[in-house]
Amino acid sequence: MVVLVFDRFLFLPGRMNGTWEYQTGTNIGDSISFENIDIVNNFEVKISTSRKLDSFYLLGCYFGTLYLLDKDTMEYTVYEKYKPLGIE
C-alpha cells in the first residue's frame, strides 16, 4: 500500500506528461495534452478543453494508458499515449 501511495505522489505526474488519445468512455476531446490537465490532489484531475472544465477521479496512469473516472456520470474513461506514426 505504501508503494502505491509513494508512486502516485512522486512518479505519476511525470508519467502523465505528453499527449493522450481517446479510446473509450467519456470523450473529453480527440486528444488532450498535459498542459490541459490540472492535478488537484493526485486523486482528482481537472481537464480543460475548448468546451468546458471537466473533473475526473484519477484511477492511474500505467504502461502508456491513462485511466479516469468521470465525477458526474461515474463513467470509466481510457486515453492512450499518443505515438507518432513510425515510432513504436
Side-chain angles (χ1 to χ4, degrees):
M1 183 65 166
V2 172
V3 173
L4 290 175
V5 172
F6 182 74
D7 172 66
R8 183 171 283 269
F9 283 94
L10 290 180
F11 301 112
L12 184 66
R15 284 198 305 268
M16 290 180 64
N17 195 4
T19 302
W20 300 90
E21 293 183 310
Y22 171 76
Q23 293 300 312
T24 61
T26 303
N27 189 351
I28 306 161
D30 289 337
S31 63
I32 56 174
S33 67
F34 188 65
E35 291 80 32
N36 299 26
I37 300 173
D38 179 30
I39 302 172
V40 177
N41 58 15
N42 286 329
F43 295 99
E44 181 181 351
V45 294
K46 293 187 185 279
I47 300 173
S48 61
T49 61
S50 60
R51 296 176 294 162
K52 61 180 179 174
L53 183 67
D54 295 304
S55 291
F56 294 86
Y57 292 116
L58 178 59
L59 300 178
C61 182
Y62 305 102
F63 306 109
T65 306
L66 177 64
Y67 303 98
L68 303 169
L69 184 66
D70 190 318
K71 286 182 74 174
D72 297 327
T73 64
M74 299 306 276
E75 186 175 347
Y76 181 70
T77 300
V78 177
Y79 273 76
E80 289 189 0
K81 193 140 196 170
Y82 173 72
K83 296 177 192 163
L85 293 176
I87 297 177
E88 292 297 319

